[in-house]
Amino acid sequence: NAGAALYSAKANGRNNYQFYLPEMNSQASSLLNLERLLHQAIEREEFIIYYQPQVNIKTGKITGMEALVRWQQPELGLVPPEQFIPIAEENGLIVNISEWVLRNACAQNKAWQDAGFSGLRMGINLSPRQFQEPHLVQLVADILAETGLAPEFLELEITESTVMQNVEFAKTMLHILEEMGVHISMDDFGTGYSSLSYLKKFPFHTLKIDQSFVRELKDNLQDMAIISAIIALGRSLNLRIIAEGVETNEQLELLRRLDCEQIQGYFFSRPLTVENATKFMQEYWAQSWNGVTTQ
Ligand code: C2E
Ligand code: MG
Ligand code: MG
Ligand code: MG
């Protein structure tokens, strides 16, 4: 095969030879390419934040938005976070990207609050690496001061694996953030190696039930049992519970029956640009959304 390159894997510290097949080659080079393009992305202002509403299905009110970053790469189009966040985690660029997201999403929430959408929470995802940054607390404090956003309208979303990496450090960081008045949300709850004692150890305000439990809710009695257990647990610990990934009316009605108050998902809205999210809120704000009625 003329395309197959022979290369020395000296980087591994060994002197063995490996066959590098063309498809691996193009995969590797496109990863390298992505990484190279990612380095220029911030200064070229190629990131954009989409906002997905969170809704209380009892009151019909929009309670918050989650900030979800995308990369508008001129040649590649809209690159989803799952394709570039892992690369950015690896090479450290995540720290700059996250700072940009924090600053912009907080400023956007302040602008929305000023426009009358008061009480709206802004969920912002923090990656494991960013959470290891000792400057995180100062950065959050600076951004809140800079944007004028009240701390309780910022909700930092972290996953179980993020706190697992360094439990004691995480505990300290989260307690400082909590003392500042910032809210903390446990994202993708139920998918990691969760120890229930973490719920006691860490000052969470919100649990987000992972979408994998919601997806097959209709046919899967186990998922139903898991969700109802999470809801009971959350309620007794006085936590806000949000079910993620609600796509159908059927799922919504099952969640309603399980007494889940808040949802986020395509059924209500996909993540939206600032403009569309504003329009969306103008249509729903202060007006009760009763969902789709049950028969
Ligand atoms: P996540 O924080 O769990 O975000 C929820 C993901 O589910 C989002 O994907 C959202 O668009 C998607 N989603 C929402 N509703 C539905 C639904 O009804 N059905 C389905 N199938 N999906 C739904 P997205 O935007 O592609 O983000 C993926 C992940 O990337 C996020 O998961 C989060 O872990 C990460 N991410 C996104 N933005 C940021 C960021 O600014 N910083 C960091 N560190 N991570 C981010
Ligand atoms: Mg999230
Ligand atoms: Mg999630
Ligand atoms: Mg996720």
Side-chain angles (χ1 to χ4, degrees), residues 187-188 210 244:
D187 203 355
D188 303 349
D210 190 67
E244 284 194 279

Side-chain angles (χ1 to χ4, degrees), residues 66-68 123-125 157-159 185 187-188 208 244 264:
E66 178 173 8
L68 296 158
I124 302 181
N125 295 284
E157 300 194 0
I158 56 174
T159 61
S185 151
D187 203 355
D188 303 349
K208 300 186 78 174
E244 284 194 279
Q264 182 183 338

Side-chain angles (χ1 to χ4, degrees), residues 18-182:
Q18 294 178 1
F19 279 103
Y20 211 47
L21 300 171
E23 63 207 86
M24 283 169 70
N25 208 339
S26 70
Q27 213 179 25
S29 68
S30 78
L31 270 180
L32 280 176
N33 196 30
L34 266 190
E35 162 146 35
R36 186 177 56 76
L37 295 169
L38 201 53
H39 275 277
Q40 319 161 336
I42 289 186
E43 58 199 54
R44 297 194 177 176
E45 298 181 7
E46 289 172 355
F47 292 110
I48 178 167
I49 303 174
Y50 276 59
Y51 297 93
Q52 188 177 34
Q54 301 171 338
V55 180
N56 181 319
I57 55 177
K58 283 207 175 141
T59 63
K61 298 265 163 69
I62 296 171
T63 57
M65 290 279 181
E66 178 173 8
L68 296 158
V69 71
R70 279 102 183 77
W71 177 18
Q72 263 177 330
Q73 214 293 321
E75 283 149 51
L76 303 170
L78 208 61
V79 186
E82 262 140 9
Q83 276 176 35
F84 67 88
I85 299 267
I87 301 174
E89 267 290 300
E90 191 76 17
N91 65 18
L93 280 175
I94 189 67
V95 176
N96 301 324
I97 297 172
S98 304
E99 179 175 341
W100 182 89
V101 173
L102 260 175
R103 181 166 283 116
N104 280 270
C106 285
Q108 184 56 53
N109 196 16
K110 180 66 166 84
W112 274 329
Q113 306 262 346
D114 290 347
F117 303 115
S118 52
L120 196 70
R121 267 190 216 92
M122 180 61 72
I124 302 181
N125 295 284
L126 288 188
S127 62
R129 174 119 175 208
Q130 189 187 8
F131 198 72
Q132 303 294 310
E133 281 286 302
H135 313 299
L136 178 67
V137 167
Q138 190 59 51
L139 179 69
V140 169
D142 289 347
I143 287 175
L144 289 174
E146 220 175 89
T147 58
L149 182 69
E152 65 268 30
F153 300 131
L154 169 60
E155 185 161 84
L156 298 175
E157 300 194 0
I158 56 174
T159 61
E160 289 155 281
S161 56
T162 300
V163 287
M164 286 280 296
Q165 295 204 343
N166 189 341
V167 175
E168 283 315 306
F169 184 71
K171 210 171 123 187
T172 309
M173 293 280 267
L174 291 181
H175 277 105
I176 298 173
L177 289 164
E178 138 97 349
E179 265 163 40
M180 284 165 56
V182 171

